[in-house]
């Protein structure tokens, strides 16, 4: 009786009934044949769904969690949580890297910047990097504005006279910095085309800093060109990174709150023609803002160095020394509580070595007396 009920159910579902001479068992091959198109349809739909999910799994990584064999367990957990958050887009918003360049139009500058942009896209992914070109010489057209390269690689652009920090202060007011994990403020003669930028940002995450700078070497035609203002920023092979009370203004990267503090909440910090003195106070000022130790707020990233090509596109710094010195005096007068003795910062850092152990390090170098207080 149960078999008869099951038979009637199947017959009703497929719209066929056997003749009187055939039993249910005899009908099974025919039933399977009739159901085959449905099974194939379900299989194809499942395969397409799996393919779509696989594509999105590739396109949805956390751009700045750097989940790789070298990452710590904490980073793997953070990356896992980030990917899971895509199931609920209200839990977390994808973060990106904003790269702000103050650029001239010389051919060598264009070649280097485009090389760096290509490297960023290759290592971090195009969708995870936004480029802002600030054309201080008003020659945006020389870059081929409107060409495919410019349209595909430059998210923001502006033509405005000024120096890098003054331009950043003016132009970044109109950008939602909170959407970015890091903002990198660059001169147009920095070369990181051979730098592991992923590693640089990974180490900044591990160090829990607010402002960082890659260690760097300098090119030049003479010893004056290759001399560091702060030699402690030269790469140290035995350190992953070093905490310091200061990092230079040349090409640092920031957390959004740190950059907003420096650009928009720091009176007498950025002057019209100079930022001398700014790097002596920003680590401490940002530390107070976010509630951190001012000697753990900034770091030099040794394991991902860059090269300063030293194009001298803005001319000799000595021509501006008098104006710059006045700016530094003004910074000191208004921010004595945040002022960090550059000698102290230059000669004493905390190295996190290749094993992850930290120790104080006495730097065997002498900073440029022209920039010292």
């Amino acid at each position: 009786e149960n078999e008869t009920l099951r038979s009637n159910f199947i017959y009703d579902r497929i719209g066929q009934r056997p003749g009187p001479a055939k039993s249910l068992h005899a009908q099974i091959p025919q039933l399977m044949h009739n159901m085959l198109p449905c099974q194939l349809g379900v299989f194809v739909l499942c395969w397409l769904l799996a393919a779509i999910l696989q594509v999105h799994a590739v396109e949805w990584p956390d751009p700045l969690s750097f989940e790789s064999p070298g990452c710590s367990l904490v980073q793997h957990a953070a990356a896992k949580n980030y990917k899971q958050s895509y199931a609920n887009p209200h839990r977390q918003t994808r973060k990106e890297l904003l790269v702000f360049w103050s650029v001239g139009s010389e051919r060598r500058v264009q070649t280097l910047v485009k090389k760096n942009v290509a490297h960023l896209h290759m290592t971090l992914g195009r969708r995870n990097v936004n480029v802002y070109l600030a054309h201080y010489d008003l020659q945006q057209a020389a870059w081929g504005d409107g060409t495919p390269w410019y349209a595909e690689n430059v998210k923001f652009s502006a033509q405005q006279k000024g120096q890098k920090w003054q331009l950043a202060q003016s132009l970044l007011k109109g950008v939602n910095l909170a959407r970015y994990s890091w903002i990198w403020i660059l001169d147009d003669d920095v070369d990181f085309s051979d730098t592991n930028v992923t590693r640089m940002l990974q180490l900044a995450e591990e160090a829990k800093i607010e402002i960082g700078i890659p260690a760097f070497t300098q090119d030049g035609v003479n010893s004056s060109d290759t001399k560091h203002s702060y030699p402690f920023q030269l790469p140290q092979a035995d350190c992953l990174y070093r905490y310091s009370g200061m990092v230079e203004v040349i090409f640092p990267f920031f957390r959004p709150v740190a950059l907003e503090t420096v650009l928009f909440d720091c009176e007498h910090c950025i002057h019209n023609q100079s930022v001398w003195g700014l790097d002596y106070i920003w680590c401490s000022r940002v530390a107070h803002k976010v509630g951190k130790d001012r000697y753990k707020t900034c770091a030099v990233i040794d394991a991902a160095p860059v090269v300063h090509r030293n194009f001298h596109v803005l001319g000799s710094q000595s021509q501006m020394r008098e104006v710059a010195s006045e700016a530094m005096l003004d910074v000191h007068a208004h921010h004595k509580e945040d002022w960090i003795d550059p000698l102290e910062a230059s000669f004493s850092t905390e190295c996190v070595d290749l094993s992850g152990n930290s120790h104080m390090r006495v730097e065997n170098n002498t900073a440029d007396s022209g920039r010292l207080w």
Side-chain angles (χ1 to χ4, degrees):
E1 182 177 356
N2 289 336
E3 182 175 324
T4 301
L5 290 174
R6 285 196 297 269
S7 301
N8 289 336
F9 173 78
I10 295 175
Y11 299 150
D12 291 339
R13 297 294 289 178
I14 65 175
Q16 292 184 352
R17 286 185 175 273
K22 294 184 178 180
S23 68
L24 174 62
H25 294 291
Q27 284 293 310
I28 288 177
Q30 181 64 33
L31 294 173
M32 295 301 295
H33 175 76
N34 291 338
M35 295 174 65
L36 185 60
C38 180
Q39 292 173 323
L40 288 174
V42 172
F43 174 81
V44 170
L45 287 174
C46 290
W47 182 85
L48 288 173
L49 180 60
I52 292 171
L53 290 175
Q54 180 64 28
V55 168
H56 284 281
V58 172
E59 292 183 352
W60 289 356
D62 177 2
L64 299 178
S65 68
F66 313 107
E67 190 172 6
S68 65
C71 294
S72 65
L73 291 176
V74 172
Q75 288 171 307
H76 282 301
K80 181 179 179 181
N81 291 338
Y82 187 91
K83 291 177 181 178
Q84 289 175 345
S85 72
Y86 279 100
N88 182 354
H90 298 290
R91 277 183 54 192
Q92 187 171 351
T93 303
R94 184 172 63 88
K95 294 296 184 85
E96 301 167 336
L97 170 69
L98 174 63
V99 185
F100 181 91
W101 258 293
S102 171
V103 296
S105 56
E106 289 186 21
R107 179 56 55 187
R108 60 180 178 172
V109 168
Q110 293 190 43
T111 299
L112 180 56
V113 170
K114 290 179 179 180
K115 185 179 178 182
N116 285 329
V117 170
H119 180 65
L120 284 175
H121 288 163
M122 181 180 68
T123 54
L124 296 180
R126 182 180 297 271
R127 70 193 299 268
N128 298 326
V129 178
N130 286 171
V131 172
Y132 197 136
L133 295 188
H135 300 273
Y136 61 78
D137 61 357
L138 309 183
Q139 296 298 316
Q140 184 172 344
W143 283 74
D145 182 21
T147 63
W149 182 89
Y150 208 95
E152 293 172 5
N153 293 279
V154 181
K155 174 78 171 179
F156 307 101
S157 64
Q159 296 190 90
Q160 184 172 314
K161 285 188 174 295
Q163 299 175 15
K164 176 180 66 180
W165 287 103
Q166 290 77 8
L167 290 172
Q169 187 179 50
S170 172
L171 299 174
L172 291 180
K173 287 181 180 178
V175 177
N176 178 18
L177 299 180
R179 67 174 289 189
Y180 298 100
S181 288
W182 297 98
I183 302 98
W184 201 0
I185 309 295
L186 295 173
D187 288 342
D188 57 11
D189 57 357
V190 60
D191 185 353
F192 54 83
S193 59
D194 290 324
T195 299
N196 188 340
V197 181
T198 301
R199 182 66 167 153
M200 180 185 80
L201 298 178
Q202 174 197 14
L203 290 171
E205 297 274 357
E206 287 186 357
K208 296 181 174 60
I209 57 174
E210 302 297 316
I211 307 174
I213 191 170
F216 63 96
T217 56
Q218 297 206 144
D219 276 354
V221 296
N222 53 50
S223 59
S224 177
D225 286 341
T226 59
K227 183 180 179 181
H228 265 256
S229 295
Y230 304 104
F232 76 93
Q233 295 176 134
L234 282 162
Q236 302 300 317
D238 58 331
C239 299
L240 292 173
Y241 53 88
R242 282 167 293 146
Y243 292 109
S244 173
M246 69 163 291
V247 294
E248 199 176 352
V249 295
I250 188 168
F251 28 70
F253 54 92
F254 298 78
R255 288 296 197 187
V257 171
L259 185 59
E260 288 170 348
T261 300
V262 170
L263 294 182
F264 312 130
D265 189 24
C266 192
E267 294 184 3
H268 298 275
C269 293
I270 298 176
H271 295 77
N272 291 336
Q273 293 180 290
S274 175
V275 289
W276 272 27
L278 176 62
D279 44 12
Y280 295 168
I281 62 113
W282 62 12
C283 293
S284 177
R285 186 167 182 83
V286 169
H288 289 150
K289 179 76 172 184
V290 300
K292 288 187 176 181
D293 181 344
R294 69 179 187 169
Y295 293 101
K296 290 290 187 72
T297 300
C298 298
V300 179
I301 310 300
D302 291 292
V306 302
V307 179
H308 181 208
R309 295 299 180 192
N310 235 340
F311 288 164
H312 294 298
V313 293
L314 295 179
S316 173
Q317 193 180 63
S318 62
Q319 299 172 359
M320 302 176 60
R321 189 171 295 273
E322 183 177 349
V323 172
S325 297
E326 291 178 359
M328 186 163 62
L329 286 170
D330 188 59
V331 172
H332 180 264
H334 289 87
H335 299 283
K336 292 179 181 179
E337 72 282 2
D338 289 319
W339 190 270
I340 292 180
D341 184 347
L343 282 173
E344 178 186 354
S346 296
F347 285 96
S348 180
T349 61
E350 182 179 344
C351 168
V352 176
D353 63 26
L354 305 184
S355 299
N357 300 315
S358 64
H359 56 85
M360 297 305 297
R361 177 190 179 97
V362 177
E363 302 292 344
N364 184 24
N365 54 51
T366 302
D368 179 5
S369 59
R371 287 285 320 270
L372 292 181
W373 182 246

